[in-house]
Amino acid sequence: MAKESVKLIANNKKAYHDYFIEDTYEAGISLHGTEVKSMRMGKCSIKESFIRIEKGEVFIYGMHISPYEKGNIFNKDPLRVKKLLMHRWEIHKIAGRIAEKGYTLVPLKIYFKGSLVKVEVGLARGKKLYDKRADIAKKDMRREAEKDFKVRNLY
């Protein structure tokens, strides 16, 4: 089986800062033609987006896809609600976990897998302020250690 190419369109770095990502799922996304063309040009943002499960279906809100320049009347609203395509058993499993206190769904990245647009969805638990501070401190310590290691190896 040939390996399908994966091309990253948008990444949500803020999600990793604000949440502990417990589990990830891959979902398809229902798009119109001009939206796909705009995504091929990399004009997509998921910084402020979030995901909800309503009546057994998964929807993404706040995902911005810039209108395609040559799309004229066929362009859709850039912030319209888009449906995510997942297996029913996955949706039920995720809905059960979200019912627990403190869990939410966040989009982590959007990418092309072959010719299809996919969304990586993360089941996340919110971080408290002290968790964020601890992560920042850990990063700084690691950065300092790498810097010292690099300096020692130069001599």
Side-chain angles (χ1 to χ4, degrees):
M1 187 170 128
K3 191 175 181 183
E4 291 183 350
S5 63
V6 175
K7 182 186 168 220
L8 187 68
I9 301 169
N11 202 354
N12 192 357
K13 291 179 185 172
K14 194 175 178 207
Y16 290 99
H17 182 262
D18 292 341
Y19 300 99
F20 291 113
I21 308 300
E22 305 269 320
D23 212 353
T24 59
Y25 299 92
E26 184 179 73
I29 184 167
S30 179
L31 296 171
H32 292 280
T34 54
E35 290 174 325
V36 176
K37 287 180 180 182
S38 185
M39 282 188 150
R40 286 203 188 282
M41 297 169 73
K43 299 195 174 172
C44 175
S45 171
I46 55 172
K47 276 190 173 65
E48 299 298 321
S49 60
F50 59 96
I51 297 172
R52 281 200 183 138
I53 297 177
E54 297 168 359
K55 299 177 186 171
E57 294 181 327
V58 186
F59 296 96
I60 186 166
Y61 293 83
M63 179 176 142
H64 187 275
I65 300 175
S66 299
Y68 183 57
E69 293 131 23
K70 301 178 180 109
N72 57 43
I73 61 167
F74 299 107
N75 279 332
K76 301 288 181 198
D77 176 31
L79 287 171
R80 78 178 180 85
V81 178
K82 293 150 196 79
K83 183 177 177 181
L84 295 183
L85 311 170
M86 297 177 84
H87 292 287
R88 186 173 286 125
W89 60 270
E90 277 183 322
I91 295 171
H92 289 309
K93 182 179 172 185
I94 292 170
R97 294 285 301 271
I98 287 179
E100 293 177 35
K101 192 170 185 253
Y103 282 101
T104 187
L105 275 179
V106 289
L108 300 176
K109 57 183 157 188
I110 296 179
Y111 54 93
F112 277 106
K113 190 173 184 182
S115 64
L116 303 174
V117 179
K118 299 285 185 179
V119 179
E120 186 173 285
V121 177
L123 184 67
R125 192 168 37 90
K127 282 186 183 178
K128 303 280 188 265
L129 185 62
Y130 57 83
D131 290 328
K132 292 180 189 175
R133 286 185 187 143
D135 278 355
I136 291 169
K138 228 183 273 179
K139 261 188 212 164
D140 287 344
M141 285 172 56
R142 195 187 81 237
R143 200 176 297 127
E144 286 294 321
E146 286 175 359
K147 191 174 166 185
D148 291 343
F149 182 74
K150 193 175 183 182
V151 169
R152 270 192 228 124
N153 284 343
L154 288 176
Y155 299 110

